[in-house]
Amino acid sequence: MKKKKLVVLTGAGMSAESGFETFRDAGGLWERYPVEQVATPEGWAADPAMVTGFYNGLRRQLLAARPNEGHCRLAGMESDMDVCVVTQNVDDLHERAGSTNVIHLHGELMKVCSSAHPDDPRCIRTLGPDDAEVPVGATAADGSLLRPWIVWFGEAVPRLEAAAREVETADVFAIIGTSLNVYPAAGLVRYVRPGVPVYLIDPNPVRLPSGCPVTVIRDVASKGVARLHEALSRQEKKP
């Protein structure tokens, strides 16, 4: 019997319980680091050393973080469902929890690339705990400066189409820990087919597109994913 397909869109709230700092929430990184300086091509061009240091600090924080129960529960749901995680997060906590099908819309913090050609696969390199600190002035294989493999503001989102295709084929769609304020990622909800159940997990109110029926689970990710799993399991047991 073919497994049902669950597609999950996750945001910063998914990782907040893991001790990985969020960007947009109160007290988040954007309050201390202007987005123009650390997350735009212009900021990189103006001061690549400062930007390199900023992301080195983020990697240290990520290496100290651990997947929370929400990450682990989503990974465990692969035994019952075909699960695809579409994440706006740049951390690797979904993968470390065991999720095997993860689409990173905004890049990956533990990867670096060419600053001249960011999506050239020959220059994309995955960092580990022993080389997570990128030296200022380090270069990629093409001789350009190494930059984080992050989709900065003003840059295209290369994996958006792949994510939209996944959402179009979902039997269940869940939104976890995102305000749905960041486009184009927030627009993925419009690719959900009519009649497909949509779940929203967030402790805070989230504004959804009009006409989108949704089951709201007002809770943090770790508890909310457990409640989602229980709800889907009950649905499966119904005659």
Side-chain angles (χ1 to χ4, degrees):
M1 182 178 173
K2 186 180 178 181
K3 293 180 178 179
K4 282 190 174 181
K5 183 168 186 175
L6 168 65
V7 178
V8 184
L9 174 64
T10 67
M14 186 78 223
S15 300
E17 295 172 85
S18 294
F20 191 61
E21 218 167 354
T22 62
F23 285 85
R24 291 176 175 274
D25 292 339
L29 289 168
W30 290 156
E31 290 189 2
R32 303 198 304 279
Y33 298 93
V35 60
E36 296 82 7
Q37 290 183 6
V38 297
T40 63
E42 294 78 15
W44 168 260
D47 195 343
M50 187 272 289
V51 176
T52 296
F54 172 80
Y55 287 95
N56 281 341
L58 274 189
R59 288 189 203 97
R60 287 193 295 270
Q61 187 187 127
L62 177 55
L63 289 171
R66 295 291 179 269
N68 61 56
E69 183 58 30
H71 294 108
C72 296
R73 193 75 176 244
L74 272 182
M77 290 171 71
E78 291 188 10
S79 61
D80 304 316
M81 306 186 78
D82 175 9
V83 181
C84 174
V85 176
V86 179
T87 187
Q88 299 172 83
N89 299 337
V90 297
D91 62 61
D92 60 355
L93 296 173
H94 281 297
E95 289 90 343
R96 282 159 58 185
S99 288
T100 60
N101 185 10
V102 182
I103 295 176
H104 284 270
L105 291 176
H106 297 156
E108 299 179 54
L109 180 58
M110 294 305 294
K111 291 183 178 181
V112 288
C113 62
S114 157
S115 54
H117 306 286
D119 292 315
D120 184 344
R122 296 170 297 180
C123 296
I124 297 172
R125 181 159 60 90
T126 301
L127 305 175
D130 296 331
D131 63 350
E133 194 92 5
V134 176
V136 172
T139 56
D142 63 1
S144 68
L145 287 176
L146 272 180
R147 59 159 272 187
W149 195 55
I150 302 291
V151 178
W152 285 330
F153 287 92
E155 295 183 323
V157 180
R159 303 212 65 194
L160 186 64
E161 288 186 10
R165 288 194 297 269
E166 294 288 350
V167 175
E168 286 176 331
T169 59
D171 297 305
V172 181
F173 184 64
I175 304 161
I176 306 175
T178 173
S179 63
L180 293 181
N181 287 329
V182 180
Y183 282 83
L188 286 172
V189 69
R190 301 189 183 278
Y191 289 88
V192 179
R193 291 173 297 160
V196 168
V198 177
Y199 292 83
L200 170 68
I201 299 171
D202 202 290
N204 304 308
V206 175
R207 187 176 180 180
L208 285 164
S210 59
C212 179
V214 60
T215 299
V216 177
I217 300 175
R218 189 65 61 82
D219 217 332
V220 294
S222 59
K223 296 178 181 177
V225 175
R227 291 171 60 184
L228 170 67
H229 193 189
E230 291 163 5
L232 296 180
S233 297
R234 286 195 300 270
Q235 290 293 326
E236 284 296 301
K237 292 175 183 177
K238 284 185 177 180

